[in-house]
Amino acid sequence: MSTPRTTTRPSVPTSSLNASRTLATAARVLRQLRHDPRTIALMLLVPCLMLLLLRYVFDGSPRTFDNIGASLLGIFPLITMFLVTSIATLRERTSGTLERLLAMPLGKGDLIAGYALAFGAIAIVQSALATALAVWFLGLDVVGSPWLLLLVALLDALLGTALGLFVSAFAASEFQAVQFMPAVIFPQLLLCGLFTARADMHPVLEGISDVLPMSYAVDGMNEVLRHTDMTAPFVRDILIVAGCALLVLALGAATLRRRTA
């Protein structure tokens, strides 16, 4: 009598987060970034160069730089992290790396958390460099603590990372990933209060700006610019930015696809 044949089922990624798998994913991403100097330069140097350029654009009116420099200190990291993260994640999809990883005992949450952790580490360095340059070398006049500026800049960079991970699920090529920037970033840039106070906008646009996370990032920077102590609006602003980043990361894990077809 023949014995019944046993079949081995393919491993299914677990749904719960695992610290070792998350750290292994983050370490792999950091190793890849280490061999890509152009990407590192984009993430670390471009925000600093933009701030340096902006300072001398307003060389004749330093108060203008003080008024918008703090806001851009949070906006520039958000934009660069959005671009780099969306393109890097999409490259993993199109190369088949993502599908091979998800065939292993690696959950979607582990993958998203690992990417967020790796790019978050880069964001810490990026935000520290940009904040130090603006405050101590370019003379940005800040009433509050520079450490609070650094906190908002870091949260903005993490928000950009989360948005980049999320939109990469809907792009089929790197060109399409870049095309999401006008749809995701530009409206927030126009409505965040950088160019005019949100209260002076049309009521419909003001209502839209109230639900966009970049608006609260700019508000948080302005609170540090004008107040010596941590204010209640500042705490509200950073909690909203952090909450939006976590929400978008969760949506990114939910929309993560195994195949790129």
Side-chain angles (χ1 to χ4, degrees):
M1 178 181 295
S2 60
T3 58
R5 181 179 300 175
T6 59
T7 59
T8 303
R9 294 183 179 181
S11 60
V12 179
T14 58
S15 57
S16 60
L17 284 174
N18 180 278
S20 61
R21 294 195 297 261
T22 299
L23 291 175
T25 301
R28 181 185 62 82
V29 174
L30 289 174
R31 284 195 300 269
Q32 290 178 332
L33 289 175
R34 186 181 62 184
H35 299 292
D36 191 351
R38 288 177 298 182
T39 299
I40 294 177
L42 176 63
M43 289 188 291
L44 299 184
L45 300 182
V46 167
C48 294
L49 292 175
M50 292 297 100
L51 286 170
L52 183 65
L53 176 63
L54 185 71
R55 168 62 182 85
Y56 291 104
V57 165
F58 296 110
D59 190 45
S61 54
R63 291 304 305 170
T64 304
F65 176 71
D66 291 336
N67 290 332
I68 68 173
S71 299
L72 292 177
L73 184 60
I75 291 174
F76 285 155
L78 190 155
I79 294 175
T80 55
M81 295 304 291
F82 172 84
L83 281 173
V84 171
T85 306
S86 59
I87 292 174
T89 309
L90 183 64
R91 192 175 297 166
E92 298 260 274
R93 297 177 190 275
T94 55
S95 66
T97 302
L98 186 64
E99 187 173 346
R100 292 193 297 270
L101 288 173
L102 290 179
M104 301 167 61
L106 181 70
K108 294 181 178 181
D110 296 320
L111 190 66
I112 291 293
Y115 271 88
L117 188 61
F119 285 107
I122 299 293
I124 292 174
V125 180
Q126 178 197 70
S127 301
L129 288 175
T131 302
L133 175 69
V135 174
W136 288 297
F137 291 93
L138 300 182
L140 180 66
D141 188 10
V142 179
V143 175
S145 170
W147 294 106
L148 296 181
L149 276 184
L150 176 60
L151 174 61
V152 182
L154 175 59
L155 290 176
D156 291 344
L158 292 175
L159 176 61
T161 299
L163 289 171
L165 288 169
F166 177 65
V167 303
S168 67
F170 305 99
S173 66
E174 294 181 14
F175 179 68
Q176 287 186 5
V178 175
Q179 285 179 315
F180 273 105
M181 187 170 177
V184 176
I185 299 297
F186 286 178
Q188 297 192 68
L189 187 61
L190 293 174
L191 299 177
C192 68
L194 177 65
F195 302 105
T196 185
R198 291 194 287 133
D200 296 335
M201 298 178 184
H202 188 280
V204 174
L205 295 181
E206 183 183 359
I208 295 174
S209 72
D210 287 340
V211 299
L212 298 177
M214 191 184 290
S215 300
Y216 297 95
V218 171
D219 288 349
M221 286 293 191
N222 288 333
E223 286 292 314
V224 181
L225 195 66
R226 298 165 185 163
H227 299 89
T228 55
D229 299 323
M230 184 183 298
T231 62
F234 174 81
V235 175
R236 177 207 62 190
D237 293 335
I238 63 173
L239 288 177
I240 290 176
V241 174
C244 288
L246 292 175
L247 175 61
V248 175
L249 283 175
L251 291 174
T255 58
L256 191 63
R257 296 175 297 175
R258 290 173 60 85
R259 295 183 181 274
T260 59

